[in-house]
Amino acid sequence: SGSRRCRRLEVEAARAVLGSADTLLFDCDGVLWRGEAAVGGAAAALGRLAAAGKRLCYVTNNSSRTRAAYTEKLQRLGFPPAEPRHVFGSAYCAARYLRQALPLGAAAYVLGSPALAAELEAVGVPHLGPGPAALPGPTPADWARAPLDPAVRAVLVGFDEHFSYAKLCQALRYLLRGGPDCLLVGTNRDHRLPLEGGAAIPGTGCLVKAVETAAQREAFIVGKPNRYMFDCVVSEFGIDPARTIMVGDRLDTDILMGNTCGLTTLLTLTGVTTLDEVKGHQESDCPARQSLVPDFYVDSIADLLPALGD
Ligand code: PLP
Ligand code: CA
């Protein structure tokens, strides 16, 4: 029953839970760091987990960095060394998805960051953005005459600081031209990115929704809570869900994916979620809300240190 879940992971229980796991999946922002600052004690905790022989993987919905950039950030902030293959960012996972879903030689029209383009490049998926070409006239109706690339068979939407009406037009035109033969893929649906002090900026979900609304169809989402991201980890490392812990700060992405995939879920309160929100879900008897409730919580992953000995 729901009321048994979301227990604080005290030292004794932490020893048992960690002892029966061989892999931990860490969400990044809100768990390991906030922006550019490491969460206090997080690097030490991961260092001990690595020393204890645990496999550490990183699963992030942020499509604005490459896997290589994450390994550099982990190193810069004092975390144990990670290889790019341990990092599952939504940019990399989207590239991987398109490589297997697109016919050979087909290209993706991309709304996103240079990192997203770099990950497509790395797996050999041809891609184009709006490019430097001048728009063919001053009004949106003129833009709808811009040339279309015959190779495009997918539209990919990620975090794009330069999202525009012109790009939205072009995305719609590819989707209308290709019909169901043109894939529509989004990296993630996070609706907001919280900043310090209660401020926030709109997340990639807003951009995906704009394209879905124009095209009147639903995107395939690569990131959490979709299990595709977990499946990427499984196909890379062959991990056993029953021996895997998902650590995250967000209920509707991290915890939902973990629960859906049969992992042990651990919420940390260093990010976007408060215990009151969990209580609300826990007390509801709606199954959809129950699946947002984690097995355990800690105030910070630094709280795992005592269970990891000296
Ligand atoms: N998307 C973007 C563009 C972000 O900047 C962030 C966090 O910084 C996220 C998503 C959420 O990332 P995570 O899944 O690591 O919490
Ligand atoms: Ca997070």
Side-chain angles (χ1 to χ4, degrees), residues 48-112:
R48 289 207 193 154
L49 287 164
K54 306 299 182 191
R55 179 190 288 119
L56 310 181
C57 295
Y58 305 90
V59 291
T60 174
N61 273 357
N62 188 348
S63 64
S64 66
R65 282 176 197 261
T66 60
R67 293 199 289 172
Y70 279 107
T71 63
E72 280 159 31
K73 181 166 184 175
L74 286 161
Q75 183 179 24
R76 188 167 73 243
L77 296 182
F79 287 92
E83 294 165 42
R85 64 194 285 260
H86 292 109
V87 180
F88 297 84
S90 62
Y92 166 72
C93 293
R96 197 178 152 123
Y97 176 77
L98 286 176
R99 186 190 50 191
Q100 56 92 32
L102 277 176
L104 206 64
Y109 178 71
V110 183
L111 308 186

Side-chain angles (χ1 to χ4, degrees), residues 136-306:
T139 71
D142 297 319
W143 305 344
R145 294 184 287 105
L148 293 180
D149 186 313
V152 169
R153 296 280 295 274
V155 169
L156 171 60
V157 187
F159 188 67
D160 186 354
E161 295 171 11
H162 305 288
F163 186 84
S164 69
Y165 191 81
K167 291 184 188 181
L168 184 56
C169 285
Q170 203 71 341
L172 174 60
R173 292 178 65 221
Y174 280 118
L175 290 163
L176 288 175
R177 185 191 67 178
D181 288 340
C182 185
L183 305 173
L184 174 53
V185 178
T187 55
N188 62 303
R189 286 195 191 277
D190 294 42
H191 55 282
R192 265 183 222 161
L193 305 174
L195 306 176
E196 294 302 318
I201 54 174
T204 305
C206 307
L207 312 183
V208 173
K209 269 279 186 350
V211 178
E212 288 180 316
T213 303
Q216 286 295 290
R217 55 183 275 203
E218 203 176 319
F220 174 79
I221 303 296
V222 159
K224 302 167 287 184
N226 194 303
R227 66 169 300 133
Y228 184 76
M229 193 170 262
F230 177 68
D231 291 340
C232 288
V233 185
V234 173
S235 67
E236 182 75 33
F237 294 108
I239 62 172
D240 175 2
R243 296 185 58 79
T244 301
I245 304 173
M246 172 70 213
V247 189
D249 72 315
R250 195 163 189 140
L251 302 179
D252 64 359
T253 54
D254 308 321
I255 301 306
L256 180 56
M257 184 191 77
N259 287 342
T260 307
C261 296
L263 318 182
T264 299
T265 49
L266 174 59
L267 173 72
T268 170
L269 301 177
T270 46
V272 299
T273 304
T274 63
L275 219 43
D276 280 343
E277 288 171 56
V278 184
K279 293 266 154 63
H281 296 311
Q282 218 168 358
E283 283 157 15
S284 135
D285 29 56
C286 163
R289 290 186 70 183
Q290 285 292 332
S291 57
L292 299 171
V293 177
D295 295 310
F296 302 100
Y297 79 94
V298 285
D299 291 322
S300 160
I301 58 169
D303 295 357
L304 299 177
L305 276 166

